[in-house]
């Protein structure tokens, strides 16, 4: 499975996104499109970026009853994205339905990965709001195991959890990891960060990098630096 750097295109409009990506004249980075851009621009943003030759991780984090998620995934399968995701909290039945819905008539499908617990959910909030009293780390590993059981390809997790996920679910189970920063740059609002080189060492399969590239003075150089540390 090829390691890659995915740029989080957290822009509000298609124009901003194209303006940013136009700076890349020699490479076609793998990009992540999230809810902000997708809800603003609709599925056409995906079609246009595919036409421009980018691989796409469509980060919509589906979570609903199995039948609804299955049908939504069928719609997404027609968009020809390379990777998409859902919330493991939707249960194994929901994840199995998602795999079924995402699989095209010819048997192919985009990679499907699960969000375990959001990084914005800490132990206290999980206990007080969700009434889950197990340690957070145990919950994350249990949800990762459920995702594997349902036939998914991997999870979104902190690079610091990538090694444990591989231990629990096997090396072929993908870890897609945000929270990446260069050693000499600021952390922004990310609490637990690692460098691209460290993420490679721990065993992340894909790193998702936003502001260290999108807000850099020279985004192409920052992207190349990520690739040099993580992939090459
Ligand atoms: O700018 P930055 O590199 O922090 O962006 C990271 C991207 O990964 C953002 O799109 C953010 O929403 C996403 N993400 C994250 N932590 C998670 C899941 C997704 O930072 N647990």
């Amino acid at each position: 499975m090829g390691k890659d750097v995915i740029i989080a295109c957290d822009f509000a409009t298609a124009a901003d996104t194209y303006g940013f990506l136009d700076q890349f004249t020699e490479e076609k980075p793998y990009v992540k499109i999230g809810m902000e851009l997708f809800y603003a621009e609709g599925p056409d943003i995906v079609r246009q970026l595919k036409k421009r030759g980018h691989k796409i991780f469509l980060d919509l984090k589906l979570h609903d009853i199995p039948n609804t998620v299955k049908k939504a995934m069928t719609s997404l399968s027609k968009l020809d994205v390379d990777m998409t995701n859902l919330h493991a909290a939707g249960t194994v039945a929901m994840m199995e339905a998602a795999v079924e819905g995402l699989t095209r008539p010819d048997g192919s499908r985009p990679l499907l990965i699960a969000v375990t617990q959001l990084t914005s959910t800490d132990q206290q909030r999980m206990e007080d709001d969700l009434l889950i009293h197990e340690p957070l780390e145990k919950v994350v590993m249990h949800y990762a195991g459920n995702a594997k059981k349902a036939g998914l390809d991997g999870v979104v997790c902190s690079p610091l959890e990538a090694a444990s996920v591989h231990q629990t679910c096997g090396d072929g189970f993908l870890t897609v990891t945000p929270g990446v920063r260069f050693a000499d740059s600021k952390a922004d609002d990310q609490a637990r960060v690692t460098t691209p080189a460290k993420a490679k060492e721990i065993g992340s399969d894909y790193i998702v990098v936003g502001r260290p590239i999108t807000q850099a003075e020279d985004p192409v150089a920052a992207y190349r630096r990520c690739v040099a540390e993580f992939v090459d």
Side-chain angles (χ1 to χ4, degrees):
M1 207 65 79
K3 285 184 182 278
D4 213 340
V5 174
I6 302 177
I7 304 180
C9 286
D10 294 322
F11 299 107
T13 67
D16 288 348
T17 310
Y18 301 148
F20 169 74
L21 290 172
D22 281 345
Q23 298 172 86
F24 293 82
T25 51
E26 284 173 35
E27 52 264 285
K28 289 284 177 198
Y30 205 135
V31 296
K32 178 173 89 76
I33 301 300
M35 291 186 221
E36 180 186 9
L37 191 56
F38 191 79
Y39 292 152
E41 300 290 349
D44 200 49
I45 182 78
V46 173
R47 295 191 193 100
Q48 294 306 324
L49 291 173
K50 277 307 274 191
K51 223 183 267 175
R52 285 170 167 242
H54 296 277
K55 283 188 151 189
I56 298 178
F57 168 21
L58 188 57
D59 179 18
L60 298 181
K61 300 187 179 70
L62 274 66
H63 188 175
D64 208 317
I65 59 171
N67 187 53
T68 300
V69 169
K70 179 178 166 181
K71 289 180 171 168
M73 285 293 181
T74 300
S75 297
L76 295 184
S77 76
K78 293 173 188 154
L79 274 182
D80 197 26
V81 296
D82 297 277
M83 185 189 295
T84 191
N85 62 358
L86 48 63
H87 272 283
T91 74
V92 173
M94 187 204 79
M95 291 192 273
E96 285 171 347
V99 172
E100 219 183 303
L102 196 60
T103 305
R104 304 184 187 98
D106 68 359
S108 69
R109 67 165 172 79
L111 291 172
L112 182 60
I113 59 169
V115 174
T116 55
Q117 283 291 346
L118 292 169
T119 42
S120 50
T121 306
D122 60 13
Q123 185 73 35
Q124 195 65 47
R125 287 193 178 121
M126 195 178 67
E127 292 188 12
D128 294 351
D129 297 357
L130 308 180
L131 285 184
I132 299 172
H133 297 289
E134 300 285 354
L136 185 60
E137 166 87 354
K138 190 176 169 191
V139 175
V140 167
M141 292 309 148
H142 181 68
Y143 283 19
N146 284 351
K148 183 172 169 140
K149 200 194 290 176
L152 270 68
D153 304 293
V155 287
V156 185
C157 64
S158 150
L160 304 166
E161 291 161 359
S164 325
V165 169
H166 283 143
Q167 262 167 25
T168 307
C169 300
D171 282 340
F173 196 66
L174 302 174
T175 52
V176 179
T177 63
V180 174
R181 290 295 179 269
F182 294 121
D184 53 6
S185 70
K186 60 183 191 325
D188 302 309
D189 54 352
Q190 295 283 15
R192 299 197 303 149
V193 297
T194 45
T195 62
K198 186 76 185 163
K200 178 181 184 177
E201 196 185 309
I202 303 174
S204 293
D205 295 287
Y206 295 88
I207 51 172
V208 176
V209 188
R211 288 160 290 180
I213 296 175
T214 57
Q215 307 297 314
E217 232 167 81
D218 183 345
V220 177
Y223 171 73
R224 287 184 183 153
R225 186 176 168 194
C226 279
V227 172
E229 279 193 35
F230 182 70
V231 185
D232 296 343

